[in-house]
Amino acid sequence: MKTNKSQNHTKYDCYTWIRCLLLAMTMLVATSSCGENDTEDSALQQDLNTINAWNAGEKVSEKSIQTYGTDRCFEVLTIDDALFQRIYKKSFKEDCTIDREDLRYLKVLHRNIQGEILLGEMICNKAIASDLLQIFRQLFDNAYPIERMVLIDNYDADDTKSMVANNSSAFNFRFISGTTTLSNHSKGMAIDINPLYNPYVKNRTDGSLYVEPEEGREYADRSKTFDYKIEKGDLCYRLFIEHGFTWGGEWTSLKDYQHFEKE
């Protein structure tokens, strides 16, 4: 029986073409995968650089935190010269009555309502630094949402601007709203959490309602349900109370739902 050479060549050419096509597809997938890995590695390195520089307010990935180490992202530091220059004549006024040595800088992680991780920072009194570090670690581990946590100096130490931005903060040498009495924030012994959604509320003598910030007026009605709301019995409340703080939401003459302080 004679072999059909033309037919065999056709089969051979077909098999060769298929093998070449499969090889090309394999190389394409490998190249694509390599490109994706390069992109992921680049994003990871960028996040790690952000963490190393501690650019507060920036979002970082879960992977970068795991790589860097979660424990390293919760730290209490003294106020060095570079940091003092950031706060001098802002939160640390020229007539500030607290010593720089009595303040501490906190590095912490927090999550927003979407569950994204952000780098946070705060200045407080050294007497409550350890308390706050433990509280924020537990809030982070339990994904309790805090929208923003950068120094109030980013808002020129303007409390209203910081509150409208829903920025959580502590130290700011200032007076209690509407009075000539120094606030506990002046000593770094008070902290405001998610202030836009947990405003300061007081009934005026004329029967009207004073709300600060004004932009948070709709959140003065605590019967409503909304994001970032602090309530008695929730995790944020429980942790602060367990560490010896009092909550402004339980005051009688007025309500300061954002406010926790320790004597």
Side-chain angles (χ1 to χ4, degrees), residues 41-55 60-61 63-69 72 119:
D41 289 344
S42 177
L44 176 60
Q45 188 56 57
Q46 184 175 347
D47 271 1
L48 291 174
N49 291 340
T50 297
I51 296 170
N52 276 312
W54 205 261
N55 296 327
V60 292
S61 68
K63 185 176 181 180
S64 66
I65 294 302
Q66 292 171 3
T67 302
Y68 186 81
R72 295 175 62 196
L119 305 182

Side-chain angles (χ1 to χ4, degrees), residues 122 150-152 159 162 167-171 185 190-193:
M122 182 173 288
V150 297
L151 297 189
I152 199 168
D159 193 47
S162 180
N167 181 55
S168 299
S169 65
F171 172 71
H185 288 283
I191 178 172
D192 293 336
I193 303 290

Side-chain angles (χ1 to χ4, degrees), residues 120-161:
E121 62 179 356
M122 182 173 288
I123 291 179
C124 67
N125 194 292
K126 65 181 181 182
I128 62 170
S130 179
D131 288 314
L132 292 184
L133 202 69
Q134 293 177 52
I135 290 170
F136 286 127
R137 178 60 188 266
Q138 289 183 268
L139 291 176
F140 173 75
D141 289 344
N142 288 277
Y144 186 93
I146 297 176
E147 185 171 19
R148 184 169 290 104
M149 193 191 304
V150 297
L151 297 189
I152 199 168
D153 306 272
N154 288 20
Y155 302 93
D156 294 320
D158 186 311
D159 193 47
T160 299
K161 290 179 182 178

Side-chain angles (χ1 to χ4, degrees), residues 1-32:
M1 181 177 175
K2 294 183 179 180
T3 304
N4 189 328
K5 293 183 178 179
S6 176
Q7 187 179 31
N8 286 342
H9 280 303
T10 299
K11 289 180 179 179
Y12 176 78
D13 290 343
C14 182
Y15 292 150
T16 301
W17 181 83
I18 291 173
R19 285 197 298 271
C20 289
L21 178 60
L22 290 174
L23 179 60
M25 291 175 66
T26 302
M27 292 177 65
L28 180 61
V29 170
T31 302
S32 175

